[in-house]
């Protein structure tokens, strides 16, 4: 394994290895969340009303799908469901601000 290559948790030798891998993952997560934010912001352009920003059925579908995906990857579905629900709540607030900026 070369330096900088991802390590599996069980292959980490110490806390420094663990932290390095978490930092690597966090860099990827932020990049992906920034990409998601771009789409969420653009979605505001297609919503006819501010109330249309919140679609409860869509929220529940996303959370359910991510819970399933978490289980497929050996992650805790409850934890992932909570993370996604919180993330969606924050992205809704962002989209509402973007919708308001459009001055409708």
């Amino acid at each position: 394994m070369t330096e900088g290559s991802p390590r599996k948790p069980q292959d980490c030798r110490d806390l420094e290895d663990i932290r390095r891998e978490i930092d690597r993952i966090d860099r990827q997560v932020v990049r992906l969340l920034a990409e998601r934010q771009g789409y969420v912001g653009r979605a505001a352009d297609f919503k006819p009303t501010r109330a249309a920003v919140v679609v409860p059925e869509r929220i529940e579908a996303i959370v359910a799908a991510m819970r399933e995906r978490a289980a497929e990857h050996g992650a805790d579905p409850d934890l992932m469901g909570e993370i996604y629900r919180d993330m969606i709540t924050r992205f809704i607030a962002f989209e509402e601000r973007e919708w308001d900026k459009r001055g409708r």
Side-chain angles (χ1 to χ4, degrees):
M1 181 174 318
T2 62
E3 191 64 26
S5 296
R7 292 179 188 231
K8 294 181 181 179
Q10 63 271 23
D11 295 335
C12 290
R13 298 178 310 248
D14 53 31
L15 190 54
E16 186 176 318
D17 282 351
I18 294 288
R19 287 178 176 160
R20 187 177 307 110
E21 293 305 314
I22 289 172
D23 291 347
R24 176 187 59 77
I25 292 166
D26 286 344
R27 286 189 297 275
Q28 293 174 18
V29 168
V30 168
R31 180 181 52 77
L32 291 170
L33 288 174
E35 183 178 349
R36 190 182 201 282
Q37 177 185 323
Y39 289 105
V40 169
R42 180 73 170 118
D45 292 332
F46 298 99
K47 306 280 176 87
T49 65
R50 192 176 198 274
V53 169
V54 180
V55 182
E57 302 82 19
R58 171 83 173 135
I59 295 167
E60 295 310 313
I62 292 169
V63 171
M66 294 307 103
R67 286 177 55 86
E68 285 180 27
R69 188 155 293 153
E72 292 169 5
H73 289 280
D76 182 329
D78 292 336
L79 175 61
M80 293 304 144
E82 291 168 10
I83 290 169
Y84 262 84
R85 195 170 296 284
D86 187 48
M87 181 180 72
I88 290 167
T89 297
R90 293 172 188 277
F91 273 117
I92 286 170
F94 169 76
E95 187 178 345
E96 287 172 337
R97 289 190 305 272
E98 291 298 301
W99 198 92
D100 291 344
K101 285 181 189 175
R102 276 113 172 118
R104 293 186 240 164

